[in-house]
Amino acid sequence: MEKRELVIIGAGPAGMSAAIYGKRAGLDVLVLERGATGGQINNTYEVENYPAIEHASGSELGEMFKKHALKFNAEIRAVSSSKVEIRDGKKIVVTKKGKDINEIEAGAVIVATGAHFRKLGCEGEAEHIGQGVSFCAVCDGAFFEDLEIAVVGGGNTAVEEAEYLTKFASKVFIIHRRDEFRAVKSSVERALANPKIVPVYNSVVEKIEGNGMVENLVIKNVKTGELSNLPVAGVFMFVGQEPEDECVRGLVKAEEGGWIITNEKMETSVEGIFAAGDVRSKFLRQVITAASDGAVAAMAASSYLSSKTLNIH
């Protein structure tokens, strides 16, 4: 069985930061990733709140993280899935790639798998995913050139992505269940000043209709109960996130929703397993906080591994 000192699951900002700090601490580091390095930031058009990087696309920043980790010779391995098991007190990471299954005994594990956008769950959503229903403005925005579309949500992501979508769409409706957006004031002011953006407050999407492609949204006013039609060619969902916790689900303690509980050293309820970034229970999920978590987790893992070595000797 393959043996590694530190196995990091996930190659987003938290995972890449952990890889950099782990390698600089002299550890044998393996990063497992099932998608593009950089994680969710690859879906972000512009990152303007990461210190010292005044402007970069999400994919550019993700590539910077990767190059930095590779500079220290961290190994990044592509897999289709990972699962952490405890066998006789040992941490075993089971990976799959195609039909191949591999098992790795890890001295320490950092779970940096991030989160994904939540589905709305309304009638017609599942049938229209990829046919006008999207969760990624950067990926699909260009398909809606000069068309009217909708964004569902009222947080930072929804408001910022709605503004980005005005680069393509002729009109962008932002549908939010409350009477004001929850995003930061600067983003809200910028969006509402855009003549292409139309807020639709106190409303939820009841149904998504269309013969093949999305053609219409049935909207319900949450105060009056009134139903109305909103003809659009597409709808982008930004209604919160869910953790990518499958690799340790049921193994470590988590709060409602699956967010992994850690202490300030990123330690989970299982000795030698750490969690960093968006997958853990925390107040703010941003690139900078994920990178910070990764650094803390790597140094905590290094300390843990050193203590285990001392105990052995």
Side-chain angles (χ1 to χ4, degrees):
M1 183 184 295
E2 181 180 3
K3 293 187 178 182
R4 305 300 287 260
E5 281 187 304
L6 176 61
V7 175
I8 301 167
I9 306 175
M16 291 289 91
S17 177
I20 292 165
Y21 274 76
K23 288 299 292 184
R24 290 185 75 249
L27 298 178
D28 165 39
V29 176
L30 171 64
V31 182
L32 303 174
E33 177 55 59
R34 68 181 185 188
T37 55
Q40 270 203 110
I41 58 171
N42 286 298
N43 298 332
T44 303
Y45 171 67
E46 181 178 14
V47 178
E48 61 176 11
N49 55 0
Y50 193 81
I53 306 294
E54 291 186 25
H55 170 79
S57 68
S59 58
E60 286 172 341
L61 188 56
E63 187 63 24
M64 290 181 207
F65 277 117
K66 179 181 179 181
K67 286 182 178 178
H68 200 162
L70 291 176
K71 173 188 173 184
F72 292 106
N73 298 314
E75 181 184 347
I76 303 174
R77 182 182 300 172
V79 297
S80 54
S81 69
S82 303
K83 181 79 173 178
V84 183
E85 300 177 1
I86 302 295
R87 300 179 193 166
D88 299 324
K90 297 178 180 179
K91 291 168 284 295
I92 309 298
V93 183
V94 182
T95 68
K96 292 182 180 179
K97 186 177 182 182
K99 294 182 179 179
D100 297 329
I101 298 176
N102 186 41
E103 295 189 344
I104 307 160
E105 182 182 331
V109 175
I110 297 177
V111 179
T113 43
H116 61 269
F117 287 109
R118 184 182 296 127
K119 291 181 175 61
L120 199 60
C122 69
E123 184 180 347
E125 179 185 35
E127 300 92 307
H128 288 96
I129 291 176
Q131 294 183 301
V133 170
S134 175
F135 302 87
C136 176
V138 175
C139 311
D140 299 328
F143 294 121
F144 298 93
E145 190 80 40
D146 296 326
L147 297 173
E148 295 189 2
I149 60 175
V151 164
V152 182
N156 289 322
T157 301
V159 172
E160 290 166 7
E161 298 296 352
E163 188 179 14
Y164 167 70
L165 286 165
T166 62
K167 295 176 181 289
F168 310 101
S170 60
K171 188 177 290 186
V172 179
F173 299 92
I174 308 181
I175 303 167
H176 185 42
R177 66 184 306 121
R178 298 189 176 96
D179 56 8
E180 63 180 2
F181 297 127
R182 295 178 292 107
V184 295
K185 186 178 179 181
S186 59
S187 294
V188 173
E189 289 177 346
R190 194 163 57 238
L192 294 180
N194 191 317
K196 287 188 175 183
I197 289 180
V198 179
V200 182
Y201 298 121
N202 300 313
S203 298
V204 294
V205 178
E206 288 281 290
K207 186 178 181 181
I208 300 173
E209 299 176 326
N211 184 16
M213 298 297 292
V214 169
E215 297 171 359
N216 182 66
L217 304 181
V218 178
I219 307 296
K220 179 181 179 180
N221 185 297
V222 296
K223 289 191 173 181
T224 65
E226 181 184 354
L227 296 177
S228 60
N229 291 316
L230 182 65
V232 292
V235 55
F236 289 77
M237 307 297 189
F238 301 113
V239 289
Q241 296 179 305
E242 294 177 336
E244 295 279 2
D245 64 325
E246 295 90 344
C247 65
V248 289
R249 188 176 294 165
L251 182 63
V252 300
K253 286 185 179 178
E255 66 179 27
E256 186 177 354
W259 306 103
I260 298 172
I261 297 170
T262 70
N263 60 17
E264 64 177 13
K265 292 168 66 177
M266 306 299 145
E267 294 172 320
T268 70
S269 58
V270 177
E271 182 181 306
I273 298 180
F274 304 79
D278 288 5
V279 73
R280 77 182 191 92
S281 174
K282 58 192 297 187
F283 172 68
L284 182 64
R285 293 185 174 87
Q286 293 284 294
V287 176
I288 190 168
T289 61
S292 172
D293 284 0
V296 174
M299 298 313 295
S302 176
S303 178
Y304 166 75
L305 290 168
S306 294
S307 70
K308 296 291 283 187
T309 301
L310 290 172
N311 288 338
I312 290 173
H313 295 298

